[in-house]
Amino acid sequence: MSSLATINVLDGHDSIGGTKILLTQHDHRVLLDFGTNYRRMNQFYAEFLRPRSSRGVLDFLVHGMLPELRGFYRRDLFPPDEYPHGDNEFDGAGPTAALITHAHLDHCGALAFLDPQVPTYATPTTLALLRSWQETGKSDLTQEVVYWGERTTGEAGGLRTAERGVKQHRNWRLLGDLSTGLSEALSAAPSSRTELVGRPPEDGRGDSVLRELNVRCLPVDHSLMGSAAFLLDVDGARIGYTGDVRFHGERGRETEAFLRELERRSPDVLLVEGTRLEPPDRPSRGNTTTEEEVRRNALAALRPFAGRFAVADFGPRNVERLRLFRDVAQEADRRLVVTARDAHLLGLLALAEPNIPTDFSAGGMRIWAEPNAGRAAPWQQALEARFPDAAIDAREITTAPGRWLICFSYLDVNDLVDLRRATAGGLWLYSSSEAHGEEQEFDFARLKHWIDWARMGTIGFTIDPATERPEFVPGYHASGHASQAELIELVRRANPRAIVPVHSERPRRYAELLGPEGVRVVIPVQGRPMDVAALAAGSFPSR
């Protein structure tokens, strides 16, 4: 083992999300995730104060949301007045590959800025999720993670789209079987008015970089389908990266299989998430709520509201939770109503995953027909053509509000105005994560005002009347992450020579909890390479 291999945690070293890890070995420079650091972004930006698309990478670089490294970014995103020579003033060399664990944007959102020629590896399900998110979202620079539009310098010096109606494929390489249907969907232009050029996504499992680094992609349980962990060999050292993991979802057996593989391989270095590491003065939260417990509790909460209006509020793209609520609706003699974006996602995801519900019809699931002042977007028109009998509007729901369970969230509350004749005495069932930060606490207070205005009851959270801060009721949400006790047990069983915590606000808790047992915990310093040979030998200083 030589000293030419390094691990460099570029971001996400002390935050939940924004993970960007660079592994270097000789000519290989491999990214493990390339996510958006929302904690850093929220220090400078808010809902109506956003980074300027017309300035490309500038705002993101100067505020530390992207590392200043040569060869990483799209050349068309460097404003010439600020960067007359592009990224030549930066150090380093560009990545030769990127391995993406899953489709949450705190792990992959910064791909919008990455050089689109970099081979980017993910599961087919992850790419299907991202394609749906981009196609149904706003046309914005930060959304360009699957396909992208070239920018050029306008007359006033800002960047603008070079050629409207033309998008280009990124160099996506898939780590799994690519069905004919999904291949066709990923290759297709997002609309008849757009041309999608370049090389479409292909199976990348035979690529040389994967063979030379002995890369293995292993499925794991998380709150998003298609999630994966990675094992690879860097200069003779066995490296493991958990991504985001949990054991208590419907795919918990996959995380257990990954852990057994860690036990078998005994990694030299384990890059391990620590989302749910708790402060030492906080009492243990005990057992983790499972998805099955959520199902039982949700059904029990819904039954007393028979004949009345009901909303299920859960995280975006959480298809496992959506299927759970479809089952709850059926047991409660209701039918699920989803948003058009959810319906688009299900239609695309069904090409990559088995058991994805797409029974949209007059007698099955229904699609909320949101009032729209203008012409429907191309993806909406395609959805309407595919499921012509699935649309449901406020008038039909109001006629029999107890027949439906409606999938709304905070950003859908405006539509309660159209449904106001049906909402009184109804239920808003909250089944998603707790607030992270002051801005989200304000959102919950605002959500509660909407629910109260609609004269509905709330289950899953309350608002403290003295502080207007949310308090969350356990039992209605299953976390997407392993508990502290499960993380500690994972490390014990994996028995690595060293662990490097990432994706955590309390990385030193690993040292406090495992240090006395002899586990070597190396706290990364942002942007400072760590010698793999020293990590594997136990000679790299812990911090």
Side-chain angles (χ1 to χ4, degrees):
M1 190 181 300
S2 73
S3 61
L4 298 177
T6 62
I7 298 174
N8 190 345
V9 180
L10 303 171
D11 199 359
H13 61 298
D14 63 353
S15 62
I16 296 174
T19 309
K20 304 178 186 74
I21 304 167
L22 180 64
L23 305 185
T24 302
Q25 176 195 295
H26 305 295
D27 293 332
H28 293 300
R29 296 174 299 279
V30 178
L31 284 168
L32 299 178
D33 286 334
F34 204 59
T36 300
N37 189 327
Y38 287 102
R39 188 177 78 170
R40 183 70 175 170
M41 179 177 284
N42 290 339
Q43 292 175 348
F44 298 96
Y45 296 103
E47 184 176 1
F48 298 108
L49 176 64
R50 309 299 300 166
R52 301 164 296 172
S53 293
S54 64
R55 300 300 277 162
V57 295
L58 175 64
D59 296 353
F60 294 87
L61 288 169
V62 300
H63 288 311
M65 293 181 287
L66 292 174
E68 292 187 345
L69 292 170
R70 183 184 300 175
F72 269 61
Y73 306 114
R74 290 168 44 179
R75 296 182 182 276
D76 62 317
L77 297 183
F78 286 90
D81 59 316
E82 289 281 350
Y83 302 99
H85 305 292
D87 60 0
N88 287 346
E89 64 185 73
F90 301 155
D91 295 326
T96 55
L99 307 178
I100 303 302
T101 58
H102 63 285
H104 278 144
L105 299 181
D106 63 332
H107 287 257
C108 65
L111 289 176
F113 306 97
L114 191 70
D115 180 349
Q117 301 308 313
V118 174
T120 303
Y121 297 84
T123 64
T125 299
T126 288
L127 190 54
L129 286 161
L130 290 174
R131 171 67 187 248
S132 179
W133 172 75
Q134 182 172 349
E135 190 169 333
T136 63
K138 297 178 181 179
S139 180
D140 181 76
L141 169 61
T142 58
Q143 304 254 146
E144 295 185 349
V145 298
V146 178
Y147 49 86
W148 62 287
E150 187 175 1
R151 296 328 196 256
T152 189
T153 305
E155 294 180 3
L159 301 179
R160 59 175 180 81
T161 301
E163 189 175 359
R164 294 193 179 277
V166 176
K167 302 293 183 183
Q168 302 182 51
H169 285 287
R170 286 190 169 275
N171 188 8
W172 279 99
R173 315 290 295 162
L174 298 181
L175 299 172
D177 294 332
L178 183 60
S179 70
T180 300
L182 182 59
S183 177
E184 291 174 351
L186 294 174
S187 301
S191 77
S192 60
R193 302 189 299 273
T194 302
E195 182 182 8
L196 187 56
V197 301
R199 186 179 183 179
E202 296 177 340
D203 191 329
R205 288 175 290 183
D207 291 0
S208 60
V209 63
L210 304 186
R211 294 196 310 271
E212 292 169 15
L213 295 178
N214 193 26
V215 175
R216 295 187 60 193
C217 173
L218 291 92
V220 293
D221 185 34
H222 183 42
S223 56
L224 211 58
M225 286 184 168
S227 296
F230 288 104
L231 299 175
L232 62 165
D233 295 337
V234 176
D235 206 25
R238 296 179 297 275
I239 309 295
Y241 174 43
T242 64
D244 285 354
V245 294
R246 67 176 182 178
F247 293 86
H248 52 272
E250 65 179 29
R251 300 191 180 197
R253 65 190 182 280
E254 295 181 342
T255 302
E256 181 62 33
F258 164 63
L259 180 50
R260 289 198 299 270
E261 187 64 15
L262 286 177
E263 290 178 297
R264 190 183 72 82
R265 288 172 62 96
S266 187
D268 294 296
V269 182
L270 180 63
L271 294 150
V272 58
E273 72 124 310
T275 306
R276 293 178 64 191
L277 293 176
E278 300 174 355
D281 57 349
R282 176 182 294 173
S284 173
R285 300 192 181 192
N287 296 331
T288 297
T289 301
T290 66
E291 293 288 346
E292 173 57 24
E293 289 170 334
V294 171
R295 188 196 67 79
R296 292 199 303 266
N297 293 338
L299 181 59
L302 187 60
R303 286 200 187 280
F305 290 85
R308 286 180 279 175
F309 185 84
V311 166
D313 180 352
F314 52 92
R317 301 184 297 284
N318 189 341
V319 176
E320 183 175 347
R321 192 67 54 81
L322 186 150
R323 291 193 303 197
L324 180 154
F325 276 111
R326 186 194 63 162
D327 294 343
V328 166
Q330 289 175 344
E331 291 187 64
D333 197 25
R334 295 174 182 255
R335 279 184 281 162
L336 202 66
V337 177
V338 303
T339 65
R341 285 184 172 85
D342 284 339
H344 180 277
L345 172 63
L346 293 173
L348 191 57
L349 202 57
L351 303 174
E353 288 273 349
N355 304 319
I356 299 298
T358 56
D359 53 327
F360 294 109
S361 66
M365 291 192 299
R366 304 292 293 274
I367 302 172
W368 169 242
E370 182 179 6
N372 196 327
R375 183 181 181 184
W379 66 268
Q380 291 172 306
Q381 296 175 31
L383 193 67
E384 292 166 3
R386 182 177 178 184
F387 304 114
D389 301 320
I392 187 169
D393 59 15
R395 183 175 181 178
E396 185 174 354
I397 291 174
T398 300
T399 301
R403 293 181 60 190
W404 318 103
L405 179 59
I406 303 170
C407 298
F408 276 179
S409 64
Y410 169 67
L411 295 180
D412 301 305
V413 292
N414 265 330
D415 291 338
L416 290 178
V417 173
D418 302 309
L419 293 160
R420 66 190 184 279
R421 296 175 182 85
T423 58
L427 171 67
W428 188 285
L429 178 54
Y430 183 76
S431 179
S432 194
S433 60
E434 299 182 5
H436 297 290
E438 190 176 62
E439 289 297 324
Q440 287 192 12
E441 290 183 350
F442 291 151
D443 290 344
F444 275 98
R446 193 175 296 113
L447 173 60
K448 189 61 167 64
H449 285 305
W450 271 96
I451 296 170
D452 291 345
W453 169 84
R455 293 178 292 168
M456 298 172 65
T458 309
I459 292 179
F461 81 98
T462 61
I463 296 293
D464 185 321
T467 64
E468 285 220 336
R469 298 184 66 177
E471 297 177 350
F472 296 88
V473 180
Y476 297 96
H477 173 61
S479 173
H481 300 271
S483 68
Q484 175 174 285
E486 290 168 327
L487 290 171
I488 296 303
E489 183 63 17
L490 183 154
V491 174
R492 285 174 177 152
R493 288 177 57 185
N495 192 30
R497 295 188 180 183
I499 70 167
V500 178
V502 293
H503 203 277
S504 178
E505 294 179 347
R506 303 179 184 93
R508 295 186 183 278
R509 285 294 284 153
Y510 273 122
E512 296 166 3
L513 294 165
L514 290 169
E517 301 178 17
V519 177
R520 190 166 190 80
V521 181
V522 178
I523 306 299
V525 175
Q526 183 179 16
R528 183 179 299 178
M530 296 175 285
D531 185 274
V532 169
L535 286 169
S539 59
F540 194 89
S542 57
R543 302 184 181 93

